[in-house]
Amino acid sequence: MGTPDDRAPLAERVGQLLDGGLPLTIVAAGDPVLRRGSEPFDGQLEPALLARFVEALRITMRAAPGVGLAAPQVGVELRIAVIEDPAPVPEEVRLVRGRVPQPFRVLVNPSYEPVGDARAAFFEGCLSVPGWQAVVTRPAEVRLTGQDEHGRALDEVFSGWPARIVQHETDHLDGVLYLDRAELRSLSSNQAMAERWGRPTPEEAARALGFELP
């Protein structure tokens, strides 16, 4: 399996990456590519290559599995992300977190801004920080703008868990990891999450671990 040459043109590097097989390798925290931010997409990949790259992101996200994946997470510094959430959760979780199914979508050059002042705090994880979760307080509702993979304008308000997903993935494109926004006293291993903090809200964890919620 070849390794894309960082000195090669972007389209060539993406082609090399895709030729290495699927699913793609997800970059872990500590790799500078996750911190450099990404350049706006402006036709750097011709349509057929873009379609291949988007499909590779979808396959990799589903294989992980996850509900979103940004291009820098596979080593490509382009402002592109994908999201999809079948939301296979109990009704109690759905109601408390506002987690509803989201179809597969491609976000190109996305940006978001809060809608209103409401904020929500929940445990959050990341495919680039495997094995850990932490509580992140985020705007409960955001307006997302950008385009889809066909260049069509996107201007949509997201709330509940979908709002959290689009914020998380857009942050990746700015070189921001969820840990940058997290309450670090809440940091918990997946084992601790399974054994202790599986409730729909993090109130019990906040009391036991000594952090505040909004």
Side-chain angles (χ1 to χ4, degrees):
M1 174 177 162
T3 300
D5 184 346
D6 286 342
R7 297 166 296 180
L10 181 62
E12 182 178 335
R13 289 193 285 117
V14 170
Q16 292 175 12
L17 183 69
L18 299 179
D19 289 343
L22 299 174
L24 303 175
T25 298
I26 295 176
V27 174
D31 191 310
V33 72
L34 293 173
R35 293 307 199 172
R36 287 196 290 257
S38 55
E39 63 180 83
F41 179 75
D42 187 24
Q44 294 93 330
L45 309 181
E46 52 88 19
L49 184 57
L50 175 62
R52 285 183 63 203
F53 182 57
V54 165
E55 181 62 15
L57 289 176
R58 175 176 8 202
I59 290 170
T60 304
M61 173 182 65
R62 290 178 173 176
V67 296
L69 188 67
Q73 291 182 274
V74 296
V76 177
E77 295 164 283
L78 271 180
R79 203 168 181 82
I80 298 173
V82 297
I83 64 172
E84 182 182 47
D85 185 11
V89 296
E91 181 70 5
E92 180 186 13
V93 173
R94 183 188 70 80
L95 291 173
V96 171
R97 299 182 182 174
R99 187 170 177 183
V100 294
Q102 289 293 300
F104 177 78
R105 305 182 64 165
V106 182
L107 311 179
V108 177
N109 299 329
S111 61
Y112 67 83
E113 59 184 23
V115 176
D117 298 325
R119 296 171 68 78
F122 293 105
F123 274 101
E124 193 169 314
C126 179
L127 296 177
S128 291
V129 190
W132 299 90
Q133 297 183 47
V135 173
V136 183
T137 300
R138 293 188 182 271
E141 190 171 51
V142 295
R143 178 187 179 191
L144 187 79
T145 55
Q147 299 87 41
D148 67 10
E149 69 273 37
H150 304 294
R152 295 178 296 223
L154 170 65
D155 188 342
E156 187 172 341
V157 173
F158 289 81
S159 60
W161 207 256
R164 183 169 295 267
I165 294 172
V166 299
Q167 290 175 78
H168 181 115
E169 299 309 327
T170 302
D171 281 355
H172 271 302
L173 304 178
D174 294 324
V176 175
L177 295 178
Y178 85 99
L179 290 174
D180 300 331
R181 304 188 185 280
E183 171 52 68
L184 290 183
R185 289 186 69 95
S186 71
L187 187 64
S188 301
S189 67
N190 284 350
Q191 180 177 348
M193 290 296 302
E195 294 175 353
R196 296 175 179 273
W197 315 129
R199 297 183 180 276
T201 63
E203 276 81 2
E204 185 177 348
R207 289 192 296 270
L209 299 178
F211 63 91
E212 295 185 359
L213 295 173

